[in-house]
Amino acid sequence: MPTTTRVFNFSAGPAVLPVPVLEQAQRDLVALPGVGMSVMEISHRSKVFEDLLARAIANIRELAGVPANYRILFMQGGASLQFSMVPMNLLGPGSTADYVDTGTWATKAIEEARRLGTVNVTGSTKADKYNRIPAQSELRLTADASYVHITTNNTIEGTEWKTLPDVADVPLVADASSNMLSGPIDVNRFGLIYGGAQKNLGPSGVTLVVIREDLLARSGAGLPTMLNYKVQAENNSLYNTPNTFGIYILGLVTEWLKSLGGLTAIARLNQRKASLLYSEIDRTGFYRGTAQKESRSLMNITFRLPSEELEKTFDRQASADGFDGLKGHRAVGGLRASIYNAFPEEGVAGLVDFMREFERTHG
Ligand code: PMP
């Protein structure tokens, strides 16, 4: 018998979505009210879709306080395509881009940028197994760099930037895939922010890009059309057919965030959820958090048990008890609880109970 009971889904992404969003999507799936067709069946140039798109953009602008001189774009190809588009558009010939290496995804961004231009790895915590974010004093920034790239939350290693680096007048570019809209953000500090939607914003297949308007002038006319931010902005993300269903869901998720009280409210909740879990991890020493305390992510909580054997048992028993997706990324092993915006607090409390019982029986 297939089950329709929802488990607690700790997946790192695609990840849990708010139940009210899924319910509304289910209600509207066969026919959008007043439209008589599903959102997947209408033209991306129709008034109905234009309104959905405008609403999603307006919600993001309102939630994150995106200033008027920034454009909000929805693209495809995931954050991984942004690893290429950022240098293609922003890294001019003869210039250098600074990258801070804080983990697996930062490394991938660096590898892609290197295919296209000159990269200076301006700081790295690789020697510490990426268990922390570097301090400002460790960064050796290039004075006239095209941009400085950071990964605001390191999904695999479980770290996040608590304060942004000071990069003077150089545009700060951020891969915010795994903590986008998880708390208030000062967009003015950035030149460009990007992220795949599939953790905090919606389904996979939509990539959010927030770009300061003056940077659009850097996009050369020789770029492939689809990979040109200026073209995407001039066409309001409708140069070609976008992921209409994904944008619709993202719109619903942003409505849900607004109904909760916006980013200050969700930040409070995220802080509370993460604290619950970190307190349990720190309680006895049976569990060991892998990130240094001052760099701990509120989204991806990575921890180890005394042996790999126990980690396997933990994951297996947790799954059987309805706590799904706790296995750490294959690159680092261990365990990882991803608790994005939509992850329910009672699931965190439930996991804490499970952890106590597991320690009692295996510790
Ligand atoms: N950057 C970060 C921080 C990520 O967590 C991920 C995906 N887990 C990516 C980039 C790659 O994203 P995508 O699969 O959307 O290309």
Side-chain angles (χ1 to χ4, degrees):
M1 273 289 282
T3 175
T4 50
T5 309
R6 281 174 69 78
V7 297
F8 288 118
N9 173 11
F10 290 91
S11 166
V16 59
L17 284 165
V19 172
V21 167
L22 296 174
E23 287 172 345
Q24 179 161 354
Q26 185 180 44
R27 278 197 303 276
D28 294 354
L29 191 63
V30 174
L32 277 172
V35 180
M37 295 173 274
S38 87
V39 70
M40 285 177 283
E41 301 166 298
I42 56 176
S43 165
H44 58 297
R45 313 236 175 250
S46 64
K47 174 87 172 69
V48 174
F49 184 73
E50 265 183 13
D51 288 350
L52 286 172
L53 177 64
R55 188 79 165 270
I57 292 172
N59 285 348
I60 289 173
R61 199 173 283 286
E62 181 184 331
L63 282 164
V66 179
N69 63 325
Y70 285 75
R71 297 297 303 270
I72 295 168
L73 309 175
F74 296 122
M75 312 221 275
Q76 301 185 50
S80 298
L81 186 59
Q82 296 308 307
F83 294 166
S84 307
M85 279 186 74
V86 165
M88 278 176 139
N89 284 265
L90 302 185
L91 175 53
S95 320
T96 298
D98 280 353
Y99 277 73
V100 187
D101 175 23
T102 52
T104 313
W105 291 112
T107 304
K108 291 214 160 145
I110 291 166
E111 281 166 10
E112 291 308 310
R114 280 199 169 125
R115 294 172 190 272
L116 296 157
T118 310
V119 169
N120 169 36
V121 176
T122 186
S124 173
T125 49
K126 189 173 183 184
D128 296 320
K129 294 202 175 123
Y130 298 123
N131 69 2
R132 65 185 184 89
I133 299 295
Q136 178 82 32
S137 56
E138 295 174 81
L139 304 180
R140 288 167 307 280
L141 299 167
T142 308
D144 55 353
S146 292
Y147 58 88
V148 179
H149 182 282
I150 62 168
T151 311
T152 53
N153 184 82
N154 298 281
T155 324
I156 295 175
E157 295 82 5
T159 62
E160 80 183 306
W161 290 78
K162 303 292 179 188
T163 51
L164 294 173
D166 179 2
V167 295
D169 292 334
V170 175
L172 185 61
V173 173
D175 173 1
S177 291
S178 48
N179 66 348
M180 184 90 78
L181 302 194
S182 65
I185 171 171
D186 183 0
V187 175
N188 276 308
R189 297 281 307 271
F190 298 90
L192 189 155
I193 307 167
Y194 66 88
Q198 65 270 22
K199 299 164 200 302
N200 265 336
L201 306 178
S204 59
V206 186
T207 313
L208 173 65
V209 174
V210 179
I211 181 167
R212 209 174 65 208
E213 238 158 25
D214 62 288
L215 294 175
L216 296 173
R218 293 197 196 177
S219 299
L223 285 173
T225 311
M226 279 293 290
L227 303 181
N228 185 318
Y229 288 131
K230 189 155 172 277
V231 171
Q232 296 290 351
E234 282 169 355
N235 290 276
N236 193 28
S237 305
L238 293 171
Y239 177 79
N240 77 327
T241 318
N243 177 351
T244 50
F245 187 76
I247 292 168
Y248 156 76
I249 297 285
L250 184 144
L252 296 183
V253 171
T254 51
E255 294 285 330
W256 171 79
L257 271 175
K258 277 170 53 177
S259 76
L260 291 186
L263 300 191
T264 308
I266 202 73
R268 217 177 298 125
L269 184 62
N270 285 333
Q271 184 70 54
R272 211 160 63 210
K273 289 188 297 187
S275 298
L276 258 179
L277 214 38
Y278 282 124
S279 317
E280 182 57 24
I281 287 170
D282 293 339
R283 199 170 54 88
T284 63
F286 178 69
Y287 299 102
R288 185 170 49 81
T290 60
Q292 290 193 17
K293 283 190 180 166
E294 65 286 357
S295 296
R296 282 174 162 179
S297 167
L298 301 187
M299 300 280 103
N300 309 101
I301 292 168
T302 49
F303 58 101
R304 309 238 34 164
L305 268 70
S307 73
E308 285 185 24
E309 211 40 54
L310 271 179
E311 287 168 350
K312 276 198 196 113
T313 311
F314 181 99
D315 179 47
R316 201 177 46 243
Q317 290 188 7
S319 296
D321 278 16
F323 303 103
D324 195 74
L326 286 162
K327 193 157 169 255
H329 191 275
R330 61 187 186 280
V332 296
L335 295 153
R336 169 176 57 173
S338 296
I339 48 171
Y340 300 115
N341 286 349
F343 190 90
E345 197 168 11
E346 61 269 28
V348 176
L351 179 62
V352 166
D353 288 344
F354 176 86
M355 287 167 77
R356 289 223 176 165
E357 183 58 15
F358 191 84
E359 180 175 349
R360 198 182 62 76
T361 47
H362 296 81

